[in-house]
Amino acid sequence: AQSVTQLGSHVSVSEGALVLLRCNYSSSVPPYLFWYVQYPNQGLQLLLKYTSAATLVKGINGFEAEFKKSETSFHLTKPSAHMSDAAEYFCAVREEVIQGAQKLVFGQGTRLTINP
Amino acid sequence: ETGVTQSPTHLIKTRGQQVTLRCSSQSGHNTVSWYQQALGQGPQFIFQYYREEENGRGNFPPRFSGLQFPNYSSELNVNALELDDSALYLCASSLVGGRGETQYFGPGTRLLVL
């Protein structure tokens, strides 16, 4: 079974500072990896995904993530935090349930707080 | 393009009751997956529906069941509700067959069991 570990349940940064949210995965096959964002009382919105093309993936809202196979990591970064980035962030790996059926295995989430 | 919609947005039930949650998939998608997100946790996979049949199931008991309709919309039914069923229930739709197919989530239904 595949798994995802997000280091740090809560990250706090100042507005304008670098955002770094850590994600490590465990997978026996080349993974498909995703980052989703969840604003308060809302569903999940896709930020970006890695599907074995370029290792540096650019997403929405200025976020990007780099796939590093040697480190089994897929950390999410943003050069300059904005107040609107305050939310819960989830890293996920896609896993085949049975042939053709796919599910997402999520990490526990990281709550990002932006200080003015 | 219409996104994933879910109804109702909130629901309060008592222990032992039954509940039905509904999901309309994004236009062009043929697969619906359901997830349970307990407070402070990541979403957990319940099951997936494709071609109106259950196409994969997570570690949830049989009292969690579902349906998918010809228009690809879906229902999640939970019988004999327990207090621990209180959670946000998320529906996600996707298109089977595409490489790196992506699941797009609805806003969720928040269920409280008293």
Side-chain angles (χ1 to χ4, degrees):
Chain A
Q2 301 183 43
S3 65
V4 171
T5 302
Q6 291 184 240
L7 299 176
S9 59
H10 192 187
V11 170
S12 181
V13 303
S14 298
E15 190 174 18
L18 171 71
V19 174
L20 171 60
L21 304 182
R22 299 178 187 275
C23 171
N24 288 88
Y25 68 90
S26 169
S27 175
S28 59
V29 297
Y32 289 95
L33 295 160
F34 304 81
W35 275 99
Y36 286 87
V37 61
Q38 186 174 37
Y39 297 102
N41 300 311
Q42 294 189 26
L44 301 178
Q45 180 182 7
L46 179 69
L47 274 178
L48 49 81
K49 63 181 180 182
Y50 168 75
T51 58
S52 75
T55 56
L56 183 62
V57 182
K58 294 188 183 298
I60 62 171
N61 302 338
F63 285 93
E64 62 182 36
E66 185 173 9
F67 172 71
K68 291 187 176 180
K69 183 178 179 180
S70 61
E71 298 178 7
T72 60
S73 68
F74 190 56
H75 302 330
L76 181 71
T77 61
K78 181 174 180 176
S80 178
H82 191 272
M83 295 299 291
S84 61
D85 294 328
E88 188 91 19
Y89 291 79
F90 292 95
C91 181
V93 63
R94 200 181 80 183
E95 178 177 296
E96 187 171 283
V97 181
I98 60 175
Q99 191 169 3
Q102 310 284 345
K103 73 174 184 180
L104 292 174
V105 177
F106 287 88
Q108 290 290 89
T110 297
R111 181 168 298 278
L112 177 63
T113 301
I114 311 297
N115 302 313
Chain B
E1 181 179 271
T2 305
V4 180
T5 60
Q6 294 186 243
S7 63
T9 56
H10 294 82
L11 206 50
I12 300 175
K13 292 286 188 178
T14 56
R15 195 170 46 181
Q17 285 189 311
Q18 178 266 343
V19 69
T20 297
L21 310 181
R22 295 178 175 82
C23 171
S24 292
S25 60
Q26 184 169 313
S27 59
H29 287 181
N30 56 14
T31 302
V32 172
S33 304
W34 286 92
Y35 293 81
Q36 180 195 67
Q37 185 180 17
L39 199 61
Q41 304 290 320
Q44 298 288 319
F45 175 74
I46 303 175
F47 43 53
Q48 184 178 89
Y49 274 81
Y50 173 60
R51 292 183 175 175
E52 302 179 44
E53 292 188 358
E54 188 180 290
N55 188 38
R57 188 178 186 93
N59 189 25
F60 281 81
R63 60 189 185 84
F64 285 78
S65 63
L67 287 172
Q68 186 182 33
F69 301 98
N71 66 353
Y72 307 119
S73 65
S74 176
E75 287 183 355
L76 165 65
N77 299 290
V78 187
N79 293 322
L81 283 167
E82 301 178 358
L83 298 180
D84 285 348
D85 295 334
S86 295
L88 179 67
Y89 288 86
L90 295 164
C91 164
S93 74
S94 56
L95 178 62
V96 167
R99 186 163 182 240
E101 64 194 49
T102 301
Q103 296 188 10
Y104 293 91
F105 286 80
T109 294
R110 189 165 297 280
L111 173 65
L112 177 62
V113 182
L114 301 176

